Amino acid sequence: MGWSSAFVAGLESRTIAFCYVLEVVQIYNEPGNVWSVGSHPGLGMVTGLGLRGISVQGSTLSARTWSSTIGAFTVELVGDIQELCKNITRGTVVTLRAGFEGMAVYDFERIALGQVRNLRGTAPSWTLECVDLLTLCRVRLQRTFGNPLLFDSIGNTTTLGANYTAGDGTVTVASTASFEREAGGTGAFLVTPSVGDPFYLTYTGTTATTFTGCSTTGQMGTTAVNAVATDVVTEVAYLSAHPLNIARRVLVSRDGTNGSWDDYPAAWGLGMDSTMLDHDDIDAYQSLVVVPASGQHNWEYTVHESESDALAWLQAFLARAGLFVTSRQGALTIRGVQHTQTPTYTSGLAITDADIEEIEDYEAWDATDHPTEYHTVLVNSATGGTSNPTLEVATLPYESTNTYDLTDRVFANESAVRTEVLGRVLESAQRIPERLGIRCAGLRLAQLAPGDVVPLTTRRTHSRRDGPAGWKEAPAEVIEVSPSWTGGTVRLGLLVYPPTDDVLT
């Protein structure tokens, strides 16, 4: 969940002085001991060391690739660092929490979460350097020696213990012992027959040598054929659900006790503490944004090998449908890009000249994420495709087709899912937005997160079409949120797409 109403009310005021606590947290089994330091007397566990300044560089969402760059934050400390070095090491996870006078310390809100990378300086001034919470998604965080890779148990094999006839509801094998599946859910395996192509079957139960509740046809676009004893059967990780729910299961699964989404085998998950995710925000995107006009948006996907970089895998997995992982109000969230002219979920915030302190940079045509325009956007699923070509391009250069390939994961309600995805990603492919970076006074807009769509009204800079008139309530997509907590400002990166096809006449 996001920040409390009391904390948000404090952000709205530019006169409230904030207090801060830096503390070690345990989100899985990473190194570090209980320890904290505060910005004011009475906060934190140590004396002789104080927290003086905070700088946050937020992660930036890249349009079209739908990946988030890793951000960072630094904490300026003054005093004796002996106790710090006894309890914090490279790789320790720390959180920054903020509150104000009259707020109990346990009600302070998390404003940053990350992993220690270095400590620099000379006595008495020190800078603790941390990378943000996206870094925590790269490998499983554990201090005990072992395999930190995602899906590190995948690929076990067995053989058929008896002939299999296509359509059988049970499959006999030498042993099912090494095969894993979602708790209480459905598993899958790959059969490689002596004659014919490999095929997937799903199952819902096992005995020592039998898969039960098996699908009677090949799954995920494959065709079941007869197979004989000793043909190879291979374990796969079967991920079947709404893609946002698959992603959060991958993030939190570890031992079945880590909240309601801890359903996958431990080797399939990163084991992040479930409280580090903004489940309310994910729920909102699942129910209001990434939802087809009819039916369900569900994926069926199989993983065949371990992944050395879990974040890279997860971002690529989600990007196929314009989905992404990012940070919001000190927590991780999973979102989907929206068409800025027709957003279905908004923050309720707006940006005006009353907020803007400085226009730091401006591009009339965003060259960073939109180097070219596409004539056609195509979304493919297992048995078909949906596209929306333009009649005339507005800028040069242009390329023919931007394809979103869902052929290996969408096998049901295909047309509706393709249409839903197309509606969200079309704008980014066929329009070149204006890009600007603004610095805003106060901390009110620190509530925003990459992916938010907010109305922008300003005459502080020219716009592409209206010149000095700027923009009036133009929907702007947020791609960066970097608060200066002790400086009392927020830098925002924004994309403003043209509301029409933008063709010159």
Side-chain angles (χ1 to χ4, degrees):
M1 60 185 297
W3 292 331
S4 69
S5 58
F7 187 76
V8 169
L11 296 179
E12 298 280 351
S13 171
R14 297 188 185 181
T15 62
I16 287 180
F18 280 83
C19 307
Y20 305 94
V21 174
L22 172 74
E23 58 190 8
V24 174
V25 293
Q26 201 79 32
I27 67 170
Y28 192 32
N29 189 29
E30 68 279 4
N33 301 316
V34 175
W35 183 87
S36 62
V37 62
S39 60
H40 292 70
L43 299 178
M45 297 172 59
V46 299
T47 58
L49 181 67
L51 189 160
R52 181 172 61 183
I54 299 168
S55 177
V56 177
Q57 174 60 51
S59 60
T60 301
L61 175 66
S62 296
R64 290 190 178 170
T65 65
W66 310 119
S67 60
S68 295
T69 62
I70 292 175
F73 63 92
T74 59
V75 180
E76 304 297 327
L77 302 168
V78 179
D80 185 352
I81 60 170
Q82 183 176 1
E83 288 300 315
L84 180 152
C85 293
K86 288 180 180 179
N87 295 284
I88 290 180
T89 187
R90 191 170 188 265
T92 297
V93 177
V94 295
T95 185
L96 274 166
R97 297 195 301 127
F100 42 84
E101 186 176 355
M103 177 180 283
V105 175
Y106 54 77
D107 286 331
F108 280 24
E109 294 287 356
R110 183 173 60 230
I111 60 172
L113 175 71
Q115 198 170 32
V116 173
R117 277 294 178 263
N118 211 346
L119 178 67
R120 301 180 186 273
T122 57
S125 299
W126 312 93
T127 299
L128 188 69
E129 300 174 348
C130 305
V131 285
D132 75 4
L133 72 175
L134 282 178
T135 307
L136 309 180
C137 302
R138 288 207 177 279
V139 294
R140 196 175 300 112
L141 299 176
Q142 54 190 43
R143 70 172 80 196
T144 53
F145 182 77
N147 195 337
L149 306 185
L150 188 64
F151 304 112
D152 62 38
S153 68
I154 289 301
N156 295 300
T157 62
T158 187
T159 56
L160 289 176
N163 292 348
Y164 165 79
T165 300
D168 287 349
T170 60
V171 177
T172 301
V173 294
S175 174
T176 65
S178 59
F179 285 64
E180 296 184 294
R181 61 189 168 102
E182 178 184 342
T186 300
F189 53 84
L190 181 70
V191 180
T192 304
S194 299
V195 178
D197 294 329
F199 57 92
Y200 295 107
L201 295 176
T202 58
Y203 67 95
T204 58
T206 59
T207 67
T209 58
T210 305
F211 292 104
T212 61
C214 295
S215 57
T216 55
T217 59
Q219 300 295 293
M220 292 164 280
T222 64
T223 302
V225 298
N226 296 344
V228 298
T230 73
D231 282 350
V232 176
V233 176
T234 304
E235 176 199 26
V236 296
Y238 178 63
L239 313 177
S240 176
H242 190 287
L244 299 188
N245 290 342
I246 292 174
R248 56 176 151 185
R249 285 188 173 105
V250 168
L251 288 170
V252 307
S253 289
R254 60 184 181 197
D255 59 8
T257 66
N258 188 29
S260 59
W261 297 101
D262 183 1
D263 296 328
Y264 288 160
W268 300 11
L270 289 173
M272 294 186 63
D273 193 304
S274 183
T275 62
M276 304 301 177
L277 272 65
D278 189 339
H279 293 287
D280 290 346
D281 192 65
I282 300 170
D283 288 342
Y285 270 79
Q286 179 187 332
S287 62
L288 298 175
V289 179
V290 189
V291 54
S294 61
Q296 301 297 312
H297 185 150
N298 286 336
W299 289 7
E300 292 179 85
Y301 188 75
T302 57
V303 180
H304 291 246
E305 58 187 7
S306 61
E307 296 289 339
S308 60
D309 187 333
L311 176 61
W313 176 86
L314 186 58
Q315 291 196 134
F317 173 76
L318 293 169
R320 294 285 189 95
L323 313 176
F324 53 90
V325 181
T326 190
S327 55
R328 176 182 182 266
Q329 299 183 14
L332 274 178
T333 188
I334 312 159
R335 294 180 148 196
V337 63
Q338 299 188 73
H339 194 297
T340 63
Q341 307 302 319
T342 56
T344 53
Y345 176 58
T346 60
S347 66
L349 299 173
I351 304 170
T352 70
D353 278 335
D355 300 296
I356 299 173
E357 190 173 88
E358 180 183 0
I359 305 293
E360 295 190 329
D361 45 80
Y362 170 79
E363 296 178 35
W365 294 274
D366 171 41
T368 303
D369 294 332
H370 299 77
T372 185
E373 183 179 324
Y374 287 92
H375 172 265
T376 299
V377 184
L378 172 64
V379 181
N380 284 328
S381 61
T383 62
T386 302
S387 63
N388 189 352
T390 60
L391 296 177
E392 184 178 2
V393 296
T395 65
L396 297 176
Y398 76 88
E399 295 184 28
S400 174
T401 306
N402 186 14
T403 301
Y404 285 79
D405 185 7
L406 305 176
T407 55
D408 62 352
R409 60 200 69 192
V410 175
F411 303 94
N413 199 30
E414 292 183 46
S415 178
V417 170
R418 293 195 306 262
T419 300
E420 184 277 311
V421 174
L422 181 66
R424 291 187 295 103
V425 302
L426 186 67
E427 179 182 52
S428 174
Q430 294 186 331
R431 305 284 185 273
I432 307 298
E434 295 168 82
R435 185 184 185 114
L436 64 160
I438 62 176
R439 185 161 299 281
C440 298
L443 293 169
R444 180 179 72 93
L445 298 175
Q447 301 171 65
L448 293 172
D452 278 329
V453 178
V454 294
L456 171 66
T457 300
T458 180
R459 295 175 64 93
R460 297 287 297 272
T461 183
H462 280 54
S463 66
R464 203 160 72 199
R465 288 287 169 263
D466 295 329
W471 289 282
K472 183 177 181 180
E473 296 185 346
E477 180 180 4
V478 178
I479 58 171
E480 178 196 351
V481 181
S482 296
S484 175
W485 286 93
T486 48
T489 61
V490 180
R491 173 183 162 82
L492 298 176
L494 304 172
L495 298 178
V496 183
Y497 290 91
T500 66
D501 59 15
D502 206 37
V503 174
L504 294 178
T505 57

